[in-house]
Amino acid sequence: MKRDLTWFRRRHGSASLWTFFIAAILISFSILIYTGMTVQSKYQLAITEIERAAHVALDANLINPMVRDIQLVVPITDVKTSFEANLRNAGFLLSGDGTWLRQMDDRVVYSIHSCSMIQNGDQYVLTATLQIPMPWGPLAPVNLPIRTTVQI
């Protein structure tokens, strides 16, 4: 039983077809890597800015920031108020639905949804959802959870 292998032994060749196929695969992989690196860099930027705002908010509400042993618990309402003020100072905008938007050149770089801060003893736990739009448009954003802890 012989198989028809004419497509394999063709004399005209299909090098151009294989070239286009391999080029399409390489372009797809490069777009995938570019998108992943863009999302990862925006995620690291967001985490850094949020943690910085939370640490500054906690330090601003200590009785004496030089001596941290005097006060182990800071009222959560004061920390939340300072945290929101620090986000505004960092360039975030608060939208009507409670979403914090980070914009550069009139484009949303990322947004923070359902941001909440709870107090657990001397620790303050900040949880939120980070929404990062894809480089090719805001139609398919990536939602990533954020959880950071700030302690005196």
Side-chain angles (χ1 to χ4, degrees):
M1 186 171 178
K2 284 189 163 183
R3 290 187 182 187
D4 187 20
L5 298 176
T6 57
W7 63 271
F8 188 70
R9 295 180 184 167
R10 198 178 308 169
R11 299 254 183 220
H12 295 59
S14 58
S16 61
L17 180 65
W18 283 106
T19 303
F20 289 128
F21 179 71
I22 291 171
I25 288 175
L26 290 176
I27 290 170
S28 298
F29 280 145
S30 64
I31 290 173
L32 179 69
I33 291 170
Y34 173 75
T35 302
M37 293 305 294
T38 303
V39 168
Q40 194 264 347
S41 67
K42 286 181 182 180
Y43 179 79
Q44 290 298 324
L45 176 67
I47 291 293
T48 302
E49 288 183 341
I50 291 168
E51 285 179 349
R52 183 180 304 131
H55 280 287
V56 170
L58 184 60
D59 286 344
N61 288 293
L62 292 174
I63 293 174
N64 186 354
M66 298 302 201
V67 184
R68 294 177 170 269
D69 295 338
I70 294 175
Q71 184 181 10
L72 294 178
V73 178
V74 178
I76 189 76
T77 55
D78 297 340
V79 176
K80 283 183 182 179
T81 304
S82 294
F83 176 70
E84 290 175 358
N86 289 334
L87 285 180
R88 283 189 188 93
N89 290 339
F92 286 84
L93 299 173
L94 183 62
S95 66
D97 61 350
T99 301
W100 291 94
L101 301 173
R102 181 72 163 111
Q103 295 181 335
M104 286 184 185
D105 300 329
D106 295 330
R107 288 186 56 193
V108 175
V109 178
Y110 53 83
S111 58
I112 303 168
H113 299 272
S114 42
C115 186
S116 65
M117 183 181 286
I118 59 170
Q119 184 175 2
N120 187 7
D122 63 342
Q123 294 182 345
Y124 297 85
V125 180
L126 178 76
T127 57
T129 302
L130 180 67
Q131 188 176 58
I132 302 172
M134 289 295 192
W136 55 81
L139 297 177
V142 176
N143 293 319
L144 301 168
I146 296 175
R147 184 176 190 274
T148 185
T149 304
V150 181
Q151 186 173 357
I152 296 176

